[in-house]
Amino acid sequence: MPEYRIYLGADHRGFKKKEELFPMLNECHENVIAEDLGAETYDENDDFNDPALAVAQAVLQNKHSFGVLLCGSAHGVCMQANRVKGIRAINADSEASARLGREDDYANVLCLSADQLDVDTMERIVKAFCHARPKLDERYARRVKRLDEDPVLKGINAGFKLASTQGNEENSEEE
C-alpha cells in the first residue's frame, strides 16, 4: 500500500483547529503522513489565499495525496484552491458530503469551516474523504475531465441558455 500524504493548511480563523487536527491526522494510519503547510503562527491579518495555494500546489505534485484546508466559512480557501487547474476542492460539512465529493467528483482537496465544525467532526469528515474512492464509471470520469475545460473556448453550452450581460448593462445605465 502506498504512502499517502495529507497536506493541511489554514488561515487565522482556522489556525487553532488546524493545530488540534494535525496530530490526529498524523497518527490516524501507518501509511498516512500529515504535513502542515501553514500558517505556522497565528496572524489575525493573514489571508486564506496563501495556505490554499500551498496545499493545492502540493497536492498536484503528489498523486497519492489529499489537501485539507480550514478557514472561517471554508468558502475562501475553496474558491482559491479551485483556481488551480487540476484541483477539485469541495466544502463539506458531513461525512456523507465528503464521501460523495470524492467518489462522484474526484475531489482532491477538502475544505472545512472552522466556525461551524468542531475538531472531532472534522476528523471524521477527513477520514471519510480519505477512505472514499472515485467511481470509475465513464460518466464520472467524463464530468471530471470537463471541469478542466474552458467552456468559452470550447463553445460548450450543453443546450443551456447562457446568461447575457447586455441586459444587465442597460439596466445599470437606467439606475
Side-chain angles (χ1 to χ4, degrees):
M1 176 178 232
E3 221 173 55
Y4 285 88
R5 292 202 179 265
I6 300 174
Y7 297 107
L8 193 58
D11 70 353
H12 62 281
R13 284 175 56 197
F15 181 79
K16 183 177 183 227
K17 289 185 178 173
K18 174 188 67 85
E19 295 292 300
E20 292 177 51
L21 187 61
F22 178 73
M24 293 176 179
L25 297 179
N26 215 21
E27 298 168 4
C28 73
H29 194 275
E30 63 186 33
N31 290 346
V32 173
I33 298 170
E35 191 170 333
D36 185 347
L37 298 183
E40 293 179 16
T41 60
Y42 176 83
D43 176 0
E44 68 181 49
N45 293 313
D46 70 3
D47 297 321
F48 60 77
N49 310 79
D50 299 321
L53 289 169
V55 167
Q57 291 168 356
V59 168
L60 286 179
Q61 293 174 10
N62 183 347
K63 71 177 184 175
H64 296 295
S65 69
F66 302 99
V68 177
L69 290 166
L70 285 74
C71 74
S73 65
H75 299 312
V77 289
C78 194
M79 288 188 284
Q80 182 64 70
N82 276 319
R83 294 189 56 92
V84 177
K85 187 175 181 174
I87 293 299
R88 293 171 304 281
I90 60 165
N91 178 347
D93 61 1
S94 70
E95 294 169 61
S97 177
R99 194 175 304 109
L100 284 172
R102 180 78 181 125
E103 291 173 351
D104 294 357
D105 305 317
Y106 299 14
N108 53 10
V109 174
L110 176 64
C111 302
L112 301 170
S113 169
D115 292 350
Q116 301 296 317
L117 301 169
D118 62 56
V119 176
D120 291 333
T121 302
M122 288 180 177
E123 181 183 20
R124 288 193 307 274
I125 292 171
V126 171
K127 286 180 179 178
F129 182 80
C130 293
H131 288 106
R133 297 288 174 256
K135 293 177 181 173
L136 300 178
D137 302 15
E138 186 274 332
R139 69 181 178 151
Y140 297 107
R142 179 186 71 242
R143 292 171 184 166
V144 169
K145 181 180 177 191
R146 288 185 66 190
L147 290 173
D148 283 331
E149 294 176 351
D150 183 331
V152 174
L153 293 177
K154 293 272 189 180
I156 298 170
N157 70 12
F160 291 97
K161 185 176 178 182
L162 298 177
S164 170
T165 57
Q166 185 177 19
N168 293 338
E169 290 169 0
E170 290 173 9
N171 291 339
S172 300
E173 291 173 11
E174 290 176 10
E175 293 177 4

